[in-house]
Amino acid sequence: MDRRWVGPGGYEVLPALRAGRQVLRVRRNGWLVADCTSVAEVARLVDLADLCEVITLPMDRCYKAAG
């Protein structure tokens, strides 16, 4: 399951691999801001209290629209 967090101002934080090492990738409006090796580094860029985890819900293939 892919985890990702979003915040105000177009910020997005997601796990990624860089040179074989796991990092937290910070993007703003789709542009790379930094690859951080710790949560403390992310906190210097984004207020952690403002971040919300994005949860992808499974789609029911039998769903039919009302009407």
Side-chain angles (χ1 to χ4, degrees):
M1 177 193 253
D2 293 331
R3 296 186 75 131
R4 123 181 125 104
W5 299 266
V6 295
Y11 281 100
E12 178 181 28
V13 179
L14 57 143
L17 284 176
R18 182 172 183 193
R21 187 172 181 185
Q22 187 170 3
V23 296
L24 292 169
R25 180 160 289 162
V26 179
R27 293 182 178 198
R28 184 169 190 209
N29 297 323
W31 292 87
L32 178 64
V33 174
D35 283 339
C36 302
T37 57
S38 70
V39 175
E41 286 182 37
V42 174
R44 288 186 212 126
L45 301 169
V46 182
D47 186 354
L48 300 179
D50 288 338
L51 294 177
C52 295
E53 185 174 4
V54 175
I55 299 173
T56 306
L57 299 175
M59 233 176 120
D60 183 2
R61 294 183 185 266
C62 298
Y63 174 78
K64 297 190 186 220

